[in-house]
Amino acid sequence: MRVYSQNMRLPRHRDPACPFSPPAELRGLPAMSRLEFADGHLGWLATTMAAAKVVLGDPRFSARQELKHVPVRSARPGGPAAPAPPGFFATMDPPGHTRYRRLLTGRFTVRRMRELEPRVERIAAEHLDAMAAAGPPADLVSAYALPIPSLVICELLGVPYDDRGFFQDRTARIVLPDRDTAGAIADLSAYLGELVRRRRAEPGDDLISDLTGDLTDEELANVAMILLVAGHETTANMLALGTFALLERGVAYEEGAVEELLRWLSVLQLGAPSRAALEDVEVAGALVRKGETVAMSLSVVNRDPDEFDDPDALLPGRPEARRHLAFGHGVHQCLGQQLARIELRAGYRALFDRFPGLRLAVSAAEVPLKEGAAVHGVERLPVTWPT
């Protein structure tokens, strides 16, 4: 393992030769290690479950974007970020964050999400029918993994699915650090602002219409942006990358595998999430000074040997798998985690039931990874099956 004699920097992405595992440089580090951020800021990297939970759960750490430094280089202009605009609750602290979260929590309860399960299953079946009709091979990303969560979140929010090409392109630019992130956000903001105005004039049976009485147009457009981007990007990558992992490892899918795949893959990339210390705080024996940013490697945290037996093994029946932090921890824990679980369970189950002989159509080394993206995944996943 590489030994850092000075402050370390994060690798840009995972090793293509071992796409499911965290980089070797990050294994075996102390719970809190000094990290040099892309802008020269000297902060920290948390690599254990206990340290990550403290940073994510302690109100002395802030999610505000104007207080944090970015761990890896991105297309965002240098210097501090502006405070979060109204409605952009993901980078707010209480009480601002609490207000938006309370408005949304009732719309994402376990009961409400389970009511969506039959619809998710129908969407999966329809796309598998189309794959079967077209015959092998197929790109699982475009034919299956991306359409399922995209269609579900569109129906939930009231976003026209016919516009998926536009918002999928803008989302891809947002999560890839070398792309025009600011331009993509501006495009999505303008699109959703117009959609909010239409829904306010002509309400429908959707989340955007439901919130028009509680939020301004700007707030609602920003809330919708967070839900739209998060609602399809992470789940689509998990569906494809999880299938890739199972096929490449020769591991059979079984009920209960979703939590282990979430733990083992940890699709949020290096350095995400992060928090800024509002005061001096001791974490795992390290003194984090006020103003310092702590980043996390969830791919390492979710393989913490103090939490998981044989953590590098992919074991679909692992009883402790649900301890993972794939959905975060604390007040910012993923709002849509129950919806994601339903989509993943339905998606994997339907795929492997329909095509029990599913296999990669190319060698594992030929599957293109999303290099440097904020969300780990594959660009394409060519698969085939017996006919």
Side-chain angles (χ1 to χ4, degrees), residues 114-131:
R114 283 179 177 164
E115 290 172 355
L116 289 174
E117 193 162 5
R119 177 58 180 145
V120 175
E121 291 171 346
R122 287 196 298 274
I123 291 170
E126 289 165 2
H127 284 82
L128 291 173
D129 287 345
M131 282 176 58

Side-chain angles (χ1 to χ4, degrees), residues 225-371:
M225 185 186 304
I226 293 173
L227 298 178
L228 180 63
V229 173
H232 80 275
E233 182 69 24
T234 50
T235 307
N237 280 287
M238 267 301 305
L239 274 172
L241 194 64
T243 301
F244 181 26
L246 293 169
L247 296 179
E248 192 270 343
R249 295 285 158 141
V251 176
Y253 176 76
E254 59 183 75
E255 291 300 315
V258 166
E259 299 302 327
E260 174 67 346
L261 286 168
L262 285 164
R263 179 198 74 85
W264 197 72
L265 292 171
S266 302
V267 297
L268 281 184
Q269 267 292 25
L270 307 172
S274 63
R275 297 288 187 267
L278 297 173
E279 58 184 84
D280 292 358
V281 186
E282 186 173 312
V283 181
L287 182 60
V288 180
R289 297 288 187 183
K290 178 181 178 179
E292 292 181 337
T293 298
V294 182
M296 269 150 273
S297 174
L298 291 185
S299 61
V300 176
V301 167
N302 284 334
R303 297 192 184 200
D304 186 341
D306 289 336
E307 297 288 334
F308 306 101
D309 295 329
D310 194 9
D312 291 325
L314 176 59
L315 305 173
R318 182 187 295 274
E320 75 275 21
R322 205 177 178 98
R323 296 181 197 162
H324 65 74
L325 296 187
F327 293 116
H329 178 72
V331 297
H332 282 276
Q333 191 173 42
C334 177
L335 185 68
Q337 60 180 291
Q338 299 307 330
L339 176 58
R341 286 185 167 104
I342 286 169
E343 291 172 332
L344 292 171
R345 284 197 299 264
Y348 288 132
R349 181 174 60 241
L351 175 65
F352 288 103
D353 283 352
R354 183 65 175 269
F355 300 124
L358 191 74
R359 64 182 188 274
L360 296 176
V362 298
S363 71
E366 294 177 275
V367 176
L369 301 177
K370 291 187 173 180
E371 300 290 355

Side-chain angles (χ1 to χ4, degrees), residues 95-114:
H97 170 266
T98 308
R99 173 181 170 243
Y100 295 110
R101 184 85 181 199
R102 283 176 177 165
L103 283 173
L104 293 165
T105 298
R107 277 89 171 176
F108 285 88
T109 62
V110 173
R111 179 183 62 80
R112 285 198 174 194
M113 294 303 98
R114 283 179 177 164

Side-chain angles (χ1 to χ4, degrees), residues 65 83-90 92 96 99-100 189 215-224 226:
Q65 59 190 20
F88 211 85
F89 63 94
M92 289 181 177
R99 173 181 170 243
Y100 295 110
S189 180
L215 300 173
T216 67
D217 286 5
E218 182 183 14
E219 288 177 310
L220 189 44
N222 285 325
V223 166
I226 293 173

